[in-house]
Amino acid sequence: MDYEGYFRDQLDALMGEGNYRVFADLERHRGSFPRATRHGGEGTSEVTVWCSNDYLGMGQNPSVLAAMHEAIERCGAGAGGTRNISGTNHYHVLLERELADLHGKESALLFTSGYVSNWASLTTLASKLPGCVVLSDEMNHASMIEGIRHSRAERQIFKHNSPEDLDRRLSLIEPGRPKLVAFESVYSMDGDIAPIEELCDVADAHGAMTYLDEVHAVGLYGPRGGGIAEARGLMDRLTVIEGTLGKAFGVVGGYIAASTALCDFVRSFASGFIFTTALPPHVAAGAAASIRHLKTSQVERARHQENVRKVRARLDAIGIPYMPNPSHIVPVMVGDPVKCKWISDILLDSFGVYVQPINYPTVPKGTERLRITPSPLHTDADIDHLVSALENLWSRCALARAVA
């Protein structure tokens, strides 16, 4: 077989469909987020980032940076091993305590990313509980899907955000059998929010555990940044709350928060936890500082929501279509992969605005979009420039359609 030829053919097909992914080579500016330097073949240029998952700019927060510098001076660069073999640093222990407190749980367990925390935890719980059936929302993230698949447990996919379909499916499962209901709070591409209370009511009625992915909500919602479940007073209803340190908290890593026994069970049996090097201590220190800050500060969340409202109002005023939702995600709908990439390229090259095109397989074909994520650090001038650039490109698209 011509292996290299096969690889090239598959990549060519992706390019022809408009689904080939190009990474923007960026250098973030400390203290001036959302500004960045873009590196390219013709040198460098300055851009404003409009698609970052560092939703609150905490990756630039002085208290976070100070904590990381202090930890490097005390401990050096790396953890030095897995958590079991010399890699548990005191900063990990302190961070897990912060996370347990954030979610009102007995315990928490750190992982190297949000993807790994979902994959490892769901794999372990579903495979080790005898005869477990996993009921998964049809729009769940790839990390959840892969974890459930790898467990080889029986799985059922219930209709998106539908307590009725979940109830129907649970009713058909024998009452004494272990059951795990897995879903997200904020779905990151459409920005819709799960009916957490209703899903918990159904799960409780059938004796099922609940597993909530809050990665796009922690830090952003609730009086202390505990997520949608905290905002709605529901954290005690969830068996497991999973989150990330790499989005609103501005660093990197993932975690689960649950009972002491459940966290210890995952710690003891999850290969994705056992056999990987622990997070560097300075990362744990920075994450803990970010969480502590957002437990008490409302400034970032208030400014964030205000800027989301401003962007939506400005898009409404010029007729740019976006998917309405109750969260902070602003999906500007394009509906064509080639056009979506073209708009993204022109925004970057001609206007200094970076918004990554979101194409298949991240979203279904025909729903391609520009996923805009306003931050509290975008200025009114930034918003004016973004909206003006989008209006210019939408007019050019309309003219091209008229000529065609």
Side-chain angles (χ1 to χ4, degrees):
M1 180 178 183
D2 179 3
Y3 298 109
E4 290 297 313
Y6 176 80
F7 299 149
R8 287 192 298 269
D9 288 345
Q10 293 299 304
L11 293 170
D12 289 343
L14 272 181
M15 292 178 187
E17 296 166 359
N19 291 322
Y20 181 77
R21 301 179 182 203
V22 178
F23 294 165
D25 182 355
L26 302 178
E27 182 180 335
R28 283 160 48 114
H29 295 174
R30 186 182 71 175
S32 61
F33 180 83
R35 310 288 176 244
T37 297
R38 177 195 179 200
H39 293 265
E42 298 180 358
T44 62
S45 59
E46 300 303 298
V47 300
T48 300
V49 179
W50 274 100
C51 56
S52 175
N53 282 342
D54 185 359
Y55 292 128
L56 300 177
M58 291 301 293
Q60 307 291 315
N61 184 277
S63 63
V64 174
L65 300 183
M68 297 180 78
H69 281 295
E70 190 269 345
I72 286 177
E73 292 300 318
R74 288 173 64 93
C75 301
T82 65
R83 289 290 298 273
N84 185 52
I85 304 176
S86 83
T88 294
N89 190 282
H90 189 53
Y91 286 108
H92 298 129
V93 177
L94 295 176
L95 175 54
E96 287 173 338
R97 289 175 186 170
E98 288 286 351
L99 290 164
D101 172 75
L102 177 67
H103 294 292
K105 298 297 185 184
E106 292 178 341
S107 189
L109 188 65
L110 276 173
F111 294 84
T112 50
S113 73
Y115 190 104
V116 173
S117 56
N118 267 335
W119 180 88
S121 299
L122 286 167
T123 294
T124 302
L125 292 170
S127 65
K128 293 294 184 181
L129 285 167
C132 183
V133 181
V134 183
L135 296 103
S136 176
D137 187 287
E138 66 179 339
M139 296 298 288
N140 276 343
H141 188 265
S143 58
M144 302 174 79
I145 294 169
E146 287 300 318
I148 296 165
R149 180 181 295 145
H150 187 75
S151 75
R152 299 185 180 178
E154 179 184 337
R155 68 181 185 274
Q156 296 192 27
I157 311 301
F158 65 91
K159 293 178 182 177
H160 181 48
N161 283 346
S162 174
E164 296 77 16
D165 191 44
L166 176 63
D167 183 62
R168 180 183 67 81
R169 291 176 178 278
L170 282 168
S171 298
L172 300 175
I173 301 171
E174 49 268 43
R177 194 172 176 187
K179 297 170 282 287
L180 175 62
V181 179
F183 56 102
E184 302 181 39
S185 58
V186 176
Y187 288 84
S188 64
M189 289 300 131
D190 290 355
D192 55 332
I193 296 177
I196 299 173
E197 184 172 11
E198 292 83 352
L199 293 171
C200 286
D201 288 344
V202 172
D204 290 348
H206 294 279
M209 297 195 305
T210 47
Y211 183 106
L212 177 65
D213 176 319
E214 287 259 45
V215 297
H216 290 277
V218 289
L220 300 172
Y221 300 93
R224 299 201 310 158
I228 299 295
E230 185 196 25
R232 297 181 177 178
L234 300 171
M235 291 193 296
D236 62 314
R237 301 287 306 276
L238 283 310
T239 310
V240 181
I241 296 175
E242 185 268 349
T244 184
L245 306 170
K247 293 183 171 59
F249 293 130
V251 194
V252 68
Y255 65 89
I256 59 169
S259 69
T260 298
L262 190 150
C263 287
D264 199 17
F265 181 83
V266 174
R267 181 189 72 87
S268 299
F269 290 103
S271 64
F273 175 86
I274 295 169
F275 297 108
T276 192
T277 300
L279 285 172
H282 67 279
V283 169
S290 181
I291 293 164
R292 285 192 296 269
H293 177 89
L294 290 173
K295 281 179 177 178
T296 59
S297 175
Q298 304 301 324
V299 172
E300 292 82 6
R301 284 188 283 274
R303 288 178 178 169
H304 180 236
Q305 290 298 324
E306 177 61 23
N307 274 352
V308 171
R309 286 190 289 270
K310 286 180 179 178
V311 169
R312 286 184 172 140
R314 293 294 304 280
L315 293 176
D316 284 336
I318 61 172
I320 298 290
Y322 64 89
M323 186 178 292
N325 62 62
S327 75
H328 57 284
I329 308 294
V330 184
V332 171
M333 306 307 291
V334 179
D336 177 90
V338 175
K339 186 184 296 180
C340 194
K341 186 177 185 308
W342 177 82
I343 293 173
S344 174
D345 289 344
I346 299 298
L347 283 173
L348 187 59
D349 294 336
S350 300
F351 295 94
V353 169
Y354 174 44
V355 186
Q356 184 73 10
I358 307 296
N359 293 342
Y360 178 83
T362 305
V363 296
K365 292 181 178 180
T367 69
E368 293 80 9
R369 66 200 66 182
L370 302 172
R371 178 180 175 274
I372 295 173
T373 55
S375 81
L377 300 178
H378 285 99
T379 66
D380 287 346
D382 292 332
I383 295 173
D384 289 342
H385 184 61
L386 169 71
V387 173
S388 175
L390 285 172
E391 184 176 29
N392 178 290
L393 292 179
W394 240 257
S395 298
R396 289 164 64 178
C397 287
L399 179 61
R401 284 195 299 270
V403 172

